[in-house]
Amino acid sequence: MFLKNCWYVAAWDHELIDGKLLARTLLEEAVLLYKGDSGQVVALQDRCCHRGVPLHLGRREGDCVRCMYHGLKFDASGKCIQIPGQEVVPPKLGVRSYPVVEKDHLVWIWMGDPALADPAQIIDFPYLRDPQWKGVPDYMHYDANWLLIVDNLSDFAHLAFVHTKTLGGSEEYAYVTKPVAIERLPRGFRVERWHMDAAPPPFHRKVLPAAEKDRHVDRRNIGHMHIPGIFFLESMFSPAGSGSEKGNREGTREYRNCQFMTPETRRTTHFFWTYLNNYEGDDHNVSRSLHQSLIEGFLEDKHLIEAQEKVLDADPGFKMLAVAADAALSHFRWTFDKLVAAERADEAARQGAEPKSIPIRAPHQAGLGA
Amino acid sequence: MFLKNCWYVAAWDHELIDGKLLARTLLEEAVLLYKGDSGQVVALQDRCCHRGVPLHLGRREGDCVRCMYHGLKFDASGKCIQIPGQEVVPPKLGVRSYPVVEKDHLVWIWMGDPALADPAQIIDFPYLRDPQWKGVPDYMHYDANWLLIVDNLSDFAHLAFVHTKTLGGSEEYAYVTKPVAIERLPRGFRVERWHMDAAPPPFHRKVLPAAEKDRHVDRRNIGHMHIPGIFFLESMFSPAGSGSEKGNREGTREYRNCQFMTPETRRTTHFFWTYLNNYEGDDHNVSRSLHQSLIEGFLEDKHLIEAQEKVLDADPGFKMLAVAADAALSHFRWTFDKLVAAERADEAARQGAEPKSIPIRAPHQAGLGA
Amino acid sequence: MFLKNCWYVAAWDHELIDGKLLARTLLEEAVLLYKGDSGQVVALQDRCCHRGVPLHLGRREGDCVRCMYHGLKFDASGKCIQIPGQEVVPPKLGVRSYPVVEKDHLVWIWMGDPALADPAQIIDFPYLRDPQWKGVPDYMHYDANWLLIVDNLSDFAHLAFVHTKTLGGSEEYAYVTKPVAIERLPRGFRVERWHMDAAPPPFHRKVLPAAEKDRHVDRRNIGHMHIPGIFFLESMFSPAGSGSEKGNREGTREYRNCQFMTPETRRTTHFFWTYLNNYEGDDHNVSRSLHQSLIEGFLEDKHLIEAQEKVLDADPGFKMLAVAADAALSHFRWTFDKLVAAERADEAARQGAEPKSIPIRAPHQAGLGA
């Protein structure tokens, strides 16, 4: 049910400051994350190989961790390097370690075959390291399967019904427009929508100077969704009629939104996100207001999606019914299912006969970087 | 395990005022109940056919309801009549609707085959619509199978042990009397018990004028239990020795009690009830006192029955053991099991071969009406 | 999974004062415990044979108990002796009773075949009845399998890592010493450890007079673990170098610690314990301080062990890995598994063919008594 051989966001880097031993379940595996004294981020199976006590109840020592039940010590690779009361440590003794990469304030983890873990496959979102783009990195826990959140982000149709008073979307407009076409990608999709000459949506209106609050805007949204559940959204708000569709950027305010859905279990999700703007300068209240507005909007989604999860749990036989607006999510799920099936086939083949070569992987979908 | 083809109480009518979207699980199905602008009560499957979001999180529009995730709109028959973003709605698209009847302040629902739903089969309890009979309609939620509550109401024996200080029942009397005979009915039973020349039970004594509190009474109880779990009790308290057993009603105070047990799940029950009197006139404190006394008594039952449910859950193999006092409940369960078996056989036959005729149903057990 | 044919601690005797009906689940069976008017302790299945209501919701009458749903009455042997509403009680009607023995403030119960219950097999711990030894009997509930607590008590190695600041144990010392040899017994083990010339551990230091707090001590611990989960620990603290290892007891302070692990379910445990000293005289604050210190230490264990239980629950396939310090627990579990297997074989044989003789049992492991 999970795709193993891909990179997932495991944490924001600020979750690991001060040597914290962070226990986090990812894809139904208990993982311990910490940053060692050397600066290296370590991800180990969160279970001592001796009696099964979680290692996050232990003590960090340099880049190592010691189980504080009977004192076994493990290095950053998971190898056991000390057992109090005995001189010899069997060389193969240890716990599983996971490939992990810290990049642009995110900690990425590879839950599958370590031999296939290529850091170059990590999707790039350069705005996270660009000091001109400002925002508040945050986290939300969902009692729902991560694909239901991916679904939610895959259509603009729900904006009108769920977010009218927060993130915007006009109900009248929803009845008379058709869904925009999506661009199908090997590992996701791209969607672009223009909404010309409309009132600014509430979250944007809040941060505008008084003189601009009632001026219409031309709004452009470009969304990218990537396997396994990574969403980037570029938004531009230009003065209505200013010709932004022809490339004029004067008076334009822009946002960059990223959201990372990482399965905790099949029924719960880690949701990492930030919403960046490039115009606040030193006025941090813009970031703070946008952060609050987005939380408000996300809670509207969360309320529905968690209710949806309960309904689906109650009747696993229920078949959802596709409507025209579902093209994007249908493509994403079809793509995702194919990748999972291929991974399972690989696994089965490897278990049946030792593979003669590492299977060739398609080049990874490029990021959004300039 | 449930009997589908019969009428169940789904709600009191006051639960649907002001257009409320009431979510209620009945026989392990999630149902949405509401009263449309036309005054019609509507019962729909509480799950949008698109992505499974519960419809009770939606918005009522006239007699229709709109899912507030992507805006699909359903009419009172469950048919989908609008999908934002597309012009054509497939004609068979929709959610299940349930036959529903509002009568004498109760909302009745038919969970089985709609073709068999005959409103004439709804049991009549005329006191609910007679303004001379007054009381407070109420609801209690039980963490127990509804048949355990039916069992409880099927014997007078437990009164002495559970309700001595509330609804009455003398322990000494219980040791020396035999259970009264019951009248077996095709879909339930009738039981009548006279208890002559005894102190008034606590709940009745409370509402008596001071001068009558210590006078003995002749008490007559007539109980009716109906499939699937509908209980009516007529009670008369006459001055001891006044000849009420020969028809003299002078100085008699009467009560009419109705209780409706509707399975929520196999382990939980909706319990609707009211306790009516015909003598309070404008003194609502009589109703209020009786209401409080009955709640006190019901909580005594609930405490035991919910403990019993846990015991039965812990060991599904436990066989209850019948004693002489169990004649009524034994007959009820035997009758009920036969009806369920017949229903299952009908279903199986229909699935095997398209039935040539609707099976003939026995005429429904008549109500208690005058 | 449980060993049935052995004695378990079911309660402290103070839990049964004033006729209390104590409901306690033991080895996943619901048991009712009470002390009758005659002084006899009674243990019955906590489920009325009529409708399954728990008997602990009933009423004690002398040595009997009455179910307060319909009034059935059971004597101390579990036999039903009264059914209100009928004159004849079927002679075999009743609930299961369990052999039970009150001894030295403990209530012991036999959950297996009553024919095999021999009170002489109850392990003797004479300090519990000796007024010179003083302490506070107590109880703790564990959300963990009882064998995980047995494991914990089976090694001294964890003291250094879990209890450094409470019960003592030096981390430096743990790295340079080897586990002490254990003495394997047919139904458990004995372990003895001397720790010479060290600072007194925190719990002991707290109760020392100021002048002694900083003097080194020679510490001797003798632990006994018995099937099914009974732990005795004798501790002596002598002035360092005073020759206690040669028998000199001058200036020695001693403790007697007993802990009884009784499975509630496979995942939860009743933990009865007391920690006795022989020197407090009339200064009850010594007992109180030791009691508090031990609770502090036990909570350190409980925190780890309950986390361990969750980890094991999450992956039943996880194989623990033995280290050198595990000799005691490995022997105990091996012994225990053999006894369970023998018990199962006996049962199977008895069910296959009526046994011709009661199987011969090995003489029970003697207690610690002088």
Side-chain angles (χ1 to χ4, degrees):
Chain A
M1 122 204 65
F2 299 123
L3 190 69
K4 296 283 191 128
N5 289 317
C6 65
W7 292 100
Y8 286 92
V9 171
W12 285 107
D13 62 355
H14 68 251
E15 297 183 275
L16 299 181
I17 60 169
D18 201 29
K20 159 123 188 144
L21 295 178
L22 178 68
R24 185 154 278 167
T25 295
L26 303 166
L27 283 64
E28 304 193 348
E29 298 181 27
V31 177
L32 166 68
L33 294 156
Y34 61 91
K35 182 177 280 201
D37 282 348
S38 74
Q40 180 191 3
V41 176
V42 179
L44 300 178
Q45 185 177 23
D46 189 14
R47 179 175 77 187
C48 182
C49 58
H50 174 217
R51 307 294 297 168
V53 163
L55 292 177
H56 75 267
L57 299 176
R59 182 174 69 198
R60 195 180 55 81
E61 300 185 4
D63 283 7
C64 302
V65 66
R66 185 185 298 280
C67 177
M68 287 303 278
Y69 197 178
H70 301 93
L72 278 72
K73 184 175 177 177
F74 302 90
D75 71 12
S77 74
K79 188 173 151 46
C80 181
I81 55 173
Q82 187 180 28
I83 303 178
Q86 70 189 67
E87 277 161 32
V88 179
V89 178
K92 291 196 172 175
L93 201 67
V95 298
R96 183 176 171 191
S97 73
Y98 299 88
V100 68
V101 171
E102 185 181 4
K103 187 189 168 202
D104 299 339
H105 303 292
L106 289 168
V107 176
W108 294 85
I109 195 168
W110 183 273
M111 302 297 289
D113 180 356
L116 304 177
D118 174 9
Q121 287 185 6
I122 293 173
I123 294 184
D124 194 42
F125 191 61
Y127 310 103
L128 282 172
R129 61 177 173 270
D130 181 341
Q132 273 195 300
W133 289 91
K134 291 178 182 168
V136 182
D138 208 348
Y139 170 90
M140 195 175 268
H141 185 270
Y142 256 86
D143 282 330
N145 181 285
W146 89 103
L147 285 173
L148 296 181
I149 313 174
V150 170
D151 292 346
N152 172 270
L153 293 164
S154 297
D155 79 282
F156 291 118
H158 81 281
L159 286 170
F161 298 97
V162 181
H163 302 307
T164 307
K165 294 177 183 166
T166 52
L167 310 183
S170 147
E171 199 171 328
E172 288 66 36
Y173 185 73
Y175 297 135
V176 297
T177 50
K178 296 215 169 164
V180 291
I182 64 155
E183 186 182 340
R184 286 170 174 78
L185 304 174
R187 293 175 74 94
F189 62 83
R190 178 188 183 281
V191 61
E192 177 167 347
R193 188 164 91 151
W194 286 85
H195 189 178
M196 310 304 279
D197 194 21
F203 80 98
H204 181 57
R205 190 174 185 277
K206 272 189 194 162
V207 295
L208 288 177
E212 286 185 44
K213 281 190 195 292
D214 296 322
R215 289 190 206 147
H216 274 206
V217 292
D218 292 339
R219 179 180 187 175
R220 183 198 194 188
N221 276 324
I222 303 173
H224 273 87
M225 182 70 77
H226 299 274
I227 297 290
I230 295 171
F231 182 64
F232 296 134
L233 182 71
E234 300 181 272
S235 297
M236 291 189 331
F237 292 90
S238 307
S242 65
S244 64
E245 74 281 16
K246 292 171 211 144
N248 180 21
R249 289 289 176 275
E250 209 183 310
T252 296
R253 287 187 165 81
E254 302 202 25
Y255 299 113
R256 296 294 179 272
N257 175 8
C258 59
Q259 305 180 27
F260 306 91
M261 281 68 76
T262 301
E264 180 181 56
T265 67
R266 69 200 73 186
R267 285 199 179 79
T268 56
T269 300
H270 302 292
F271 179 71
F272 305 92
W273 65 282
T274 191
Y275 198 85
L276 307 169
N277 75 85
N278 70 345
Y279 65 84
E280 75 175 29
D282 290 329
D283 181 6
H284 298 320
N285 282 342
V286 172
S287 275
R288 287 174 194 138
S289 174
L290 292 165
H291 182 237
Q292 285 307 314
S293 293
L294 268 288
I295 287 178
E296 231 184 311
F298 288 161
L299 290 177
E300 291 169 332
D301 288 322
K302 185 171 152 79
H303 185 56
L304 284 173
I305 293 170
E306 293 187 341
Q308 185 188 13
E309 176 69 41
K310 282 188 195 164
V311 169
L312 303 183
D313 281 351
D315 179 6
F318 170 59
K319 297 285 175 221
M320 294 188 189
L321 184 110
V323 300
D326 295 337
L329 73 87
S330 297
H331 172 69
F332 187 88
R333 286 184 170 240
W334 177 81
T335 304
F336 180 79
D337 289 347
K338 265 200 323 183
L339 287 169
V340 170
E343 193 171 284
R344 294 292 166 278
D346 279 4
E347 269 171 28
R350 245 177 285 176
Q351 282 167 4
E354 203 58 35
K356 295 199 174 77
S357 64
I358 304 261
I360 293 161
R361 301 264 140 187
H364 192 78
Q365 181 61 30
L368 284 181
Chain B
M1 123 204 65
F2 300 124
L3 190 68
K4 296 284 193 128
N5 289 318
C6 65
W7 292 100
Y8 286 92
V9 171
W12 285 107
D13 63 355
H14 67 252
E15 297 183 275
L16 299 181
I17 60 169
D18 201 29
K20 159 123 187 143
L21 295 179
L22 178 67
R24 184 154 277 168
T25 295
L26 302 165
L27 285 62
E28 304 193 347
E29 297 181 26
V31 177
L32 166 68
L33 293 156
Y34 62 90
K35 183 176 277 200
D37 283 348
S38 73
Q40 180 190 1
V41 176
V42 178
L44 301 178
Q45 186 176 22
D46 190 14
R47 178 175 76 188
C48 181
C49 58
H50 174 216
R51 306 294 297 168
V53 163
L55 291 177
H56 75 266
L57 298 178
R59 182 174 70 198
R60 194 181 55 81
E61 301 184 3
D63 284 7
C64 303
V65 66
R66 184 185 299 279
C67 176
M68 287 303 277
Y69 197 0
H70 301 93
L72 278 72
K73 184 174 178 178
F74 302 90
D75 71 12
S77 74
K79 187 172 153 44
C80 180
I81 56 173
Q82 187 180 29
I83 303 178
Q86 68 189 68
E87 277 161 32
V88 179
V89 177
K92 290 196 172 174
L93 200 67
V95 298
R96 183 176 170 191
S97 72
Y98 299 88
V100 68
V101 171
E102 185 181 4
K103 185 188 169 202
D104 299 338
H105 302 293
L106 289 168
V107 176
W108 295 85
I109 194 168
W110 183 273
M111 303 296 291
D113 179 354
L116 303 177
D118 174 9
Q121 287 185 6
I122 293 173
I123 294 184
D124 194 41
F125 191 60
Y127 310 103
L128 281 172
R129 62 178 172 268
D130 182 341
Q132 273 195 301
W133 290 91
K134 291 175 182 170
V136 183
D138 209 348
Y139 170 89
M140 194 175 270
H141 185 270
Y142 256 86
D143 282 330
N145 181 285
W146 89 103
L147 285 173
L148 296 181
I149 313 174
V150 170
D151 292 347
N152 171 269
L153 293 164
S154 297
D155 79 281
F156 291 119
H158 81 280
L159 286 169
F161 298 97
V162 182
H163 302 306
T164 308
K165 294 177 183 168
T166 52
L167 310 183
S170 149
E171 199 172 326
E172 290 65 37
Y173 186 72
Y175 296 135
V176 297
T177 49
K178 297 215 169 163
V180 292
I182 63 155
E183 188 181 338
R184 287 170 173 77
L185 303 174
R187 293 175 73 95
F189 61 83
R190 179 189 183 281
V191 61
E192 177 166 347
R193 187 163 92 151
W194 286 85
H195 189 178
M196 310 304 279
D197 195 20
F203 80 98
H204 180 58
R205 189 174 186 278
K206 273 190 194 162
V207 295
L208 289 178
E212 286 186 44
K213 281 189 196 292
D214 296 323
R215 288 191 206 147
H216 273 205
V217 292
D218 292 339
R219 179 179 186 176
R220 182 196 195 190
N221 276 324
I222 302 173
H224 274 88
M225 182 70 76
H226 300 273
I227 297 290
I230 295 171
F231 182 65
F232 297 134
L233 182 71
E234 300 181 90
S235 298
M236 290 188 332
F237 291 90
S238 306
S242 64
S244 63
E245 73 280 16
K246 292 171 212 144
N248 181 21
R249 289 288 176 274
E250 208 183 311
T252 295
R253 287 187 166 81
E254 301 201 27
Y255 300 113
R256 297 293 181 271
N257 175 7
C258 59
Q259 303 179 28
F260 306 91
M261 280 69 75
T262 302
E264 181 181 54
T265 66
R266 70 200 74 186
R267 284 198 180 81
T268 56
T269 300
H270 302 293
F271 179 71
F272 305 92
W273 65 282
T274 191
Y275 198 86
L276 306 170
N277 76 84
N278 71 344
Y279 65 84
E280 75 174 32
D282 289 330
D283 181 6
H284 297 320
N285 282 342
V286 173
S287 274
R288 288 174 194 138
S289 175
L290 291 166
H291 182 237
Q292 285 307 312
S293 292
L294 267 288
I295 287 178
E296 232 184 310
F298 288 161
L299 290 178
E300 291 168 331
D301 289 321
K302 184 171 153 80
H303 185 57
L304 283 174
I305 292 170
E306 293 187 342
Q308 186 188 13
E309 175 70 40
K310 282 186 195 166
V311 170
L312 302 183
D313 281 351
D315 179 5
F318 170 59
K319 299 282 175 225
M320 295 187 188
L321 185 111
V323 301
D326 295 337
L329 72 88
S330 298
H331 171 71
F332 187 88
R333 284 184 171 240
W334 177 80
T335 303
F336 179 79
D337 289 346
K338 265 200 323 183
L339 287 169
V340 170
E343 193 171 285
R344 293 293 167 276
D346 279 5
E347 268 172 28
R350 243 177 287 176
Q351 281 167 4
E354 202 58 35
K356 296 203 172 74
S357 64
I358 303 259
I360 293 160
R361 299 268 139 186
H364 191 78
Q365 181 59 29
L368 285 180
Chain C
M1 123 203 65
F2 299 123
L3 190 68
K4 297 283 193 127
N5 289 317
C6 66
W7 292 100
Y8 286 92
V9 171
W12 284 108
D13 63 355
H14 68 251
E15 297 183 277
L16 299 181
I17 59 169
D18 200 29
K20 158 121 188 146
L21 297 178
L22 178 67
R24 185 154 278 167
T25 296
L26 302 166
L27 283 63
E28 305 194 345
E29 297 181 28
V31 177
L32 166 68
L33 293 157
Y34 62 92
K35 183 177 277 200
D37 283 347
S38 73
Q40 180 191 2
V41 177
V42 179
L44 301 178
Q45 185 177 24
D46 190 15
R47 179 176 76 188
C48 181
C49 58
H50 174 217
R51 305 294 296 169
V53 164
L55 292 177
H56 76 266
L57 298 178
R59 182 173 69 197
R60 196 181 54 81
E61 300 185 4
D63 283 7
C64 303
V65 67
R66 184 184 298 280
C67 177
M68 288 303 279
Y69 196 178
H70 302 93
L72 277 72
K73 184 174 177 177
F74 302 90
D75 72 12
S77 74
K79 186 173 152 47
C80 181
I81 56 173
Q82 188 180 27
I83 303 178
Q86 69 188 66
E87 277 160 34
V88 178
V89 178
K92 291 196 171 175
L93 201 66
V95 298
R96 184 177 170 190
S97 74
Y98 299 87
V100 70
V101 171
E102 185 182 4
K103 186 189 168 201
D104 299 338
H105 302 293
L106 288 168
V107 176
W108 294 85
I109 195 167
W110 184 273
M111 302 298 290
D113 179 356
L116 304 177
D118 174 9
Q121 287 185 6
I122 294 172
I123 294 184
D124 194 41
F125 191 60
Y127 310 102
L128 281 172
R129 62 178 172 269
D130 181 341
Q132 272 195 299
W133 290 91
K134 292 177 182 169
V136 183
D138 209 349
Y139 170 90
M140 195 176 269
H141 184 270
Y142 257 86
D143 283 328
N145 182 283
W146 89 104
L147 286 173
L148 296 181
I149 314 174
V150 170
D151 291 347
N152 172 269
L153 293 164
S154 296
D155 79 282
F156 291 118
H158 81 281
L159 286 169
F161 298 98
V162 183
H163 303 305
T164 307
K165 294 179 183 166
T166 52
L167 310 184
S170 147
E171 199 172 327
E172 289 66 35
Y173 185 73
Y175 297 135
V176 296
T177 51
K178 297 214 169 164
V180 292
I182 63 155
E183 188 182 338
R184 287 170 174 78
L185 304 173
R187 292 174 75 94
F189 61 84
R190 178 189 183 280
V191 62
E192 176 167 347
R193 187 164 93 152
W194 286 86
H195 189 178
M196 309 303 280
D197 195 20
F203 80 98
H204 181 57
R205 190 175 186 278
K206 273 191 193 162
V207 295
L208 290 177
E212 286 185 45
K213 282 190 196 293
D214 296 323
R215 289 191 205 146
H216 274 205
V217 292
D218 291 340
R219 179 178 185 176
R220 183 196 194 190
N221 277 324
I222 302 174
H224 274 88
M225 182 69 76
H226 299 274
I227 297 290
I230 295 171
F231 182 64
F232 297 135
L233 182 72
E234 300 181 272
S235 298
M236 289 188 333
F237 292 89
S238 307
S242 64
S244 63
E245 73 280 17
K246 292 171 212 143
N248 181 19
R249 289 290 175 274
E250 208 183 312
T252 296
R253 288 187 165 82
E254 302 201 27
Y255 300 113
R256 296 295 180 271
N257 175 6
C258 59
Q259 304 179 27
F260 306 91
M261 280 69 75
T262 302
E264 181 181 54
T265 66
R266 69 200 73 185
R267 283 199 182 79
T268 57
T269 299
H270 302 292
F271 178 71
F272 305 92
W273 65 282
T274 191
Y275 198 85
L276 307 170
N277 76 85
N278 70 344
Y279 64 84
E280 75 175 30
D282 290 330
D283 181 7
H284 298 321
N285 282 343
V286 173
S287 275
R288 287 174 195 138
S289 174
L290 292 165
H291 182 236
Q292 285 307 312
S293 293
L294 268 288
I295 286 177
E296 231 184 309
F298 288 161
L299 290 177
E300 290 169 332
D301 288 321
K302 184 171 152 82
H303 185 55
L304 283 174
I305 293 170
E306 294 187 341
Q308 186 188 13
E309 175 70 40
K310 282 187 195 166
V311 169
L312 302 183
D313 281 351
D315 179 6
F318 171 58
K319 298 284 174 223
M320 294 188 188
L321 184 110
V323 301
D326 295 337
L329 72 89
S330 297
H331 172 69
F332 187 87
R333 284 184 171 240
W334 177 80
T335 304
F336 179 79
D337 289 346
K338 266 201 322 183
L339 288 168
V340 169
E343 194 171 285
R344 294 292 166 278
D346 280 3
E347 267 171 29
R350 244 178 285 177
Q351 282 166 4
E354 203 58 37
K356 293 200 173 78
S357 64
I358 303 262
I360 294 160
R361 300 267 140 186
H364 191 79
Q365 181 60 30
L368 285 181

